[in-house]
Structures are given as C-alpha cells and as structure tokens.
Amino acid sequence: MVPLVAVVSGPRAQLFACLLRLGTQQAGPLQLHTGASHAARNHYEVLVLGGGSGGITMAARMKRKVGAENVAVVEPSERHFYQPIWTLVGAGAKQLSSSGRPMASVIPSGVEWIKARVTELNPDKNCIHTDNDEQISYRYLIIALGIQLHYEKIKGLPEGFAHPKIGSNYSVKTVEKTWKALQDFKEGNAIFTFPNTPVKCAGAPQKIMYLSEAYFRKTGKRSKANIIFNTSLGAIFGVKKYADALQEIIRERNLTVNYKQNLIEVRADKQEAVFENLDKPGETQVISYEMLHVTPPMGPPDVLKTSPVADAAGWVDVDKETLQHKRYPNVFGIGDCTNLPTSKTAAAVAAQSGILDRTISLIMKNQTPTKKYDGYTSCPLVTGYNRVILAEFDYKAEPLETFPFDQSKERLSMYVMKADLMPFLYWNMMLRGYWGGPAILRKLFHLGMS
C-alpha cells in the first residue's frame, strides 16, 4: 500500500506526518484496562454510558480531568469495533478481525468498567439503574449509547440472513455475508438499500454499491450485473457539491438509482425484495435479486425512548453547539444517540469530543460554555478499491474541507487515509482522547495557502 506521505506531496504532508508522530508519542503505549475485576462503587464524579467511540473517547478525556478512579464506563459488550472499516470488509478489502479489539483493552487504564446494561435513567435524582439491579449515582453524566439497528422491522429479517445472496455491512454478524454474496454473484440484479430512518454513516449504503461495481468489473461480471440503489431519500447525498460528483459516477458506471423506495420485506427463500413507494403509500414493487445488501432501519436505544433525557423522537436532547442537555445541566450527549442535526459518523464524534471536553471543563468551573460545535462531520465516500471522495461538511450542509484541493474528486490519497490512516488515528489517538477532528490541520493547511 502506498503511504499517505508519498501520495499527498509537499511540505504539508510532512507537517501532517509530524503531527501524527507527536500525537502518538503523547498518547503513550496501549495499556490493558485492569479495573473490571474490582467491585463497582455506587457513585462517580463522571459516569459514561456506552463503550463505543464516543464513550471511550470521553472516558479518556475525563480521566485526565478528574482522575481515573472518579470515572466509570457502563458497557455490557466484551468487544469494541471500529465499524467504519466494515465497508471494506464487506467488499473483501479488509479482514473482519482487524475491526475489533477486547473492550478491556480500550477502556482507559484505571477507569472502572461496569459490565452491565443501562435499564433506566433518572436525571432528576442523578442516578441510573442497570440490569444487574445496581443503582449508580453521578455528578456528571455523559450519554454515548449509540444507535439501535432494527432488522426486525423488515418482514423476513433477520432470519433471512440464514439464506445466501444477502448481507449487511452494518452488523458484525452479517458483514462477511456481503463479501460471500459478492463473490458468489453470477448474473442478475444486485440491489442496495437505504431505509426510511436516520442511519449511522449515511454514505455506507452506496459505498458498497460502488465497490461491488468495481469488483464485477475486475472479475469480468459487470456486463451480467444490473446494479440498483433503492433509497428512501430524495437525493443521492445531502451536500450538493458531493452529490453532483456522485451523480457523474452513477452516470458513467451505468448504475440505476430509484428514489423514495423503502425496503419493507425480504423473501430470502425466493430471492425477492419488496419495496414501498413512499410517494404513493401502499404501492409496492417486488424485485428479484442475485445479491442484496440491506441497510437496516435504525433508531434511538430503547432505554432512551422513555427517558426524561429524550426529545419527542427518543434522541438525547442536547444543545447543538455545546452538547449540554437542554434541561439537565449536568447531563451531556455525544454521537449517534443525540439529536444533533448532522450525520452520525465516527468523524463527527471526534469533533464533538473536543467541544464536549471544553464544555464540561467550563461547567465544572461554574462557567458558561464558549466553544461551539459547527456540526462538522466527514464521510469518506469509497467509490472503488483505490478511490475515495472525502466529503466534509457542517450543519448547513456546506463543505468544510480539510485539504487544499478539491475533495469532490476521486483520489487515491483519500482512499489510503480511509483504509489505513484513519484506523490508526482511531485506535491510537481518538480513543485515548487526543484526536478532536481535523480542525487544527484545516487551519494549518489553509494558513499555508495564504
């Protein structure tokens, strides 16, 4: 694989590499968490709900702020996954084993790991309840519970995954089935779906389409494949600059995109998918498939839906600039479980973590938060096995690009960043609380241009 510094030429690339080396030195060696065997206390200065990207990142930051012994993470899972790489796993470009590590290895050393599931939030009494009948109180609460997948809302799933020809890059249980379906493809319809709900990484449903098309070309099957993207949305992407670039790719590669089409049933035994026309409720269409990639409906975790911290739709109700809860000043939210009006991605979590760190610091000092989150998020749109369009944008759906070139163009350098650099940053810097997104790089690059 070509190293990034050899692809992005010039002194800016050297500066980028230097910053990465400094960050890694600051982060220090990976330490195994050792606190899980200790009996959990019933009160913590900072209690973090969730051991995903947002939860681990904020636990690392809070450890430096109040001390490891005053921070706890509530998380039932034994493994932590870097899910953005599953797009490449589903296309055969990465191994599934590279995406996961033991939860004990990513929880910051000394921070208490409460291996339980949250069953109730009681912010009026500053406490939560877990499924092992414990009540844990806190001074500050960070909610990072992620998003819930709902395959069961599609008739015929999840049991349909027992059949061949069908996969989904959104679950550790089904992502390798995508690669198997891709390899086994002979001829016919290859269908890719996007549900009628909010989703995490909204670009992923079409990334696997582009990768599949590239695989069919590589293996001589392209002429036998009718590639269909059925999306419940009314546009291919929410930011015009990148949507225009994607539309050109769709035209050049002869891909079929049908809008306002929502998958409601999978008849896996017959290899049929049933779609509802959202513009004409009740009108359905049955399409046979040789390969089907399903993006499931998603929603807030059940424990949040009936909680006082949720908005009417069930998401954690936070201020979009500070990430502080709108009604409970000692409660904060980060990532997919919040109602922040931006795309739900790991890149967004990275940017949010820096803002939330500063917000909590000031709240702890009885001061008013000043640093504001602009909605930054990123979606590396993988368009082939060696090309990526790096979409970066803000709350206004306006490009907020890091690099001093047109990021709407397909580039090898951006693929290397997606496939190799970002996983490194994630495991070695972000989860240790040292990566708050590319804002500083953006400033340095653009200062260099002036």
Side-chain angles (χ1 to χ4, degrees):
M1 186 65 70
V2 182
L4 182 65
V5 292
V7 180
V8 184
S9 60
R12 296 186 189 88
Q14 296 170 15
L15 176 61
F16 195 17
C18 180
L19 286 169
L20 291 181
R21 287 196 296 272
L22 287 172
T24 307
Q25 290 165 7
Q26 185 183 29
L30 183 66
Q31 291 180 297
L32 281 178
H33 168 78
T34 57
S37 61
H38 300 142
R41 303 201 312 269
N42 60 9
H43 179 83
Y44 294 89
E45 184 79 359
V46 178
L47 186 63
V48 180
L49 305 185
S53 303
I56 299 300
T57 299
M58 291 311 301
R61 289 176 177 269
M62 294 300 102
K63 170 185 172 178
R64 294 196 292 271
K65 204 170 298 297
V66 301
E69 70 278 5
N70 297 311
V71 181
V73 175
V74 183
E75 170 57 55
S77 304
E78 290 283 354
R79 290 187 68 77
H80 178 103
F81 291 99
Y82 177 61
Q83 297 181 29
I85 208 69
W86 286 351
T87 285
L88 298 181
V89 173
K94 291 286 185 180
Q95 293 295 316
L96 180 60
S97 58
S98 71
S99 71
R101 294 185 182 180
M103 187 66 66
S105 72
V106 299
I107 292 180
S109 178
V111 167
E112 192 69 49
W113 175 18
I114 301 173
K115 199 182 300 184
R117 189 176 303 277
V118 181
T119 56
E120 183 184 352
L121 285 77
N122 191 341
D124 293 302
K125 294 184 178 179
N126 295 319
C127 69
I128 64 109
H129 295 267
T130 67
D131 60 357
N132 54 5
D133 295 324
E134 287 190 2
Q135 177 178 299
I136 306 166
S137 61
Y138 56 81
R139 186 174 180 188
Y140 302 100
L141 180 70
I142 299 175
I143 306 173
L145 289 171
I147 197 168
Q148 189 167 333
L149 307 183
H150 290 293
Y151 288 104
E152 77 283 355
K153 291 190 175 181
I154 299 171
K155 187 177 179 181
L157 295 182
E159 61 271 19
F161 286 114
H163 292 262
K165 311 291 187 179
I166 175 174
S168 175
N169 290 352
Y170 277 88
S171 169
V172 67
K173 297 177 181 179
T174 57
V175 61
E176 290 180 306
K177 285 186 63 64
T178 302
W179 174 227
K180 184 69 167 60
L182 192 52
Q183 291 175 293
D184 290 345
F185 184 92
K186 293 182 175 60
E187 61 178 327
N189 294 328
I191 306 175
F192 305 84
T193 74
F194 191 110
N196 190 28
T197 67
V199 301
K200 57 182 172 181
C201 194
Q206 60 182 294
K207 295 177 195 179
I208 186 60
M209 170 180 67
Y210 302 126
L211 284 162
S212 297
E213 193 274 341
Y215 180 80
F216 294 150
R217 275 189 281 119
K218 180 180 177 182
T219 55
K221 299 177 182 178
R222 181 63 185 93
S223 62
K224 299 179 181 180
N226 180 31
I227 300 174
I228 303 169
F229 185 57
N230 273 10
T231 172
S232 64
L233 302 178
I236 196 66
F237 200 74
V239 181
K240 186 179 186 304
K241 176 177 182 177
Y242 308 119
D244 289 346
L246 293 171
Q247 288 287 8
E248 184 63 21
I249 290 171
I250 288 166
R251 185 188 64 77
E252 289 176 352
R253 299 180 192 174
N254 192 28
L255 309 175
T256 299
V257 179
N258 300 313
Y259 298 104
K260 297 298 183 125
Q261 297 293 315
N262 184 42
L263 179 66
I264 60 172
E265 182 181 357
V266 175
R267 301 167 182 167
D269 56 335
K270 299 178 181 179
Q271 292 180 210
E272 293 178 346
V274 183
F275 294 88
E276 180 181 22
N277 184 342
L278 295 178
D279 285 335
K280 298 178 180 178
E283 179 180 297
T284 61
Q285 180 183 20
V286 179
I287 308 177
S288 62
Y289 63 83
E290 170 69 3
M291 173 186 177
L292 175 65
H293 178 269
V294 177
T295 302
M298 303 180 202
D302 290 337
V303 69
L304 292 178
K305 293 177 184 177
T306 57
S307 166
V309 303
D311 66 7
W315 307 100
V316 181
D317 195 14
V318 296
D319 182 282
K320 73 175 189 174
E321 294 181 334
T322 66
L323 282 71
Q324 183 179 27
H325 197 274
K326 292 179 181 177
R327 298 185 301 281
Y328 299 100
N330 65 331
V331 175
F332 309 88
I334 185 170
D336 297 353
C337 67
T338 67
N339 61 359
L340 295 169
T342 192
S343 292
K344 300 177 185 295
T345 69
V349 171
Q352 291 163 22
S353 69
I355 301 296
L356 183 51
D357 191 348
R358 183 61 178 159
T359 291
I360 293 176
S361 294
L362 292 173
I363 294 295
M364 287 178 170
K365 298 174 184 176
N366 294 317
Q367 297 177 14
T368 302
T370 55
K371 198 169 184 181
K372 297 180 178 180
Y373 176 52
D374 56 10
Y376 171 85
T377 191
S378 172
C379 182
L381 294 158
V382 185
T383 55
Y385 283 92
N386 60 1
R387 291 292 184 270
V388 159
I389 290 173
L390 182 61
E392 295 181 291
F393 48 96
D394 59 17
Y395 277 140
K396 299 177 183 177
E398 293 292 335
L400 190 61
E401 297 183 343
T402 297
F403 298 99
F405 48 70
D406 183 0
Q407 291 180 199
S408 68
K409 304 295 184 183
E410 296 177 280
R411 297 180 188 272
L412 170 61
S413 59
M414 297 297 96
Y415 179 87
V416 174
M417 188 183 75
K418 158 71 177 177
D420 300 311
L421 179 59
M422 293 314 300
F424 172 85
L425 280 175
Y426 182 82
W427 294 114
N428 295 285
M429 293 182 67
M430 180 175 161
L431 291 188
R432 300 179 190 182
Y434 293 110
W435 177 251
I440 186 171
L441 296 177
R442 190 182 307 119
K443 290 177 183 177
L444 288 169
F445 281 131
H446 291 282
L447 278 173
M449 294 292 289
S450 61

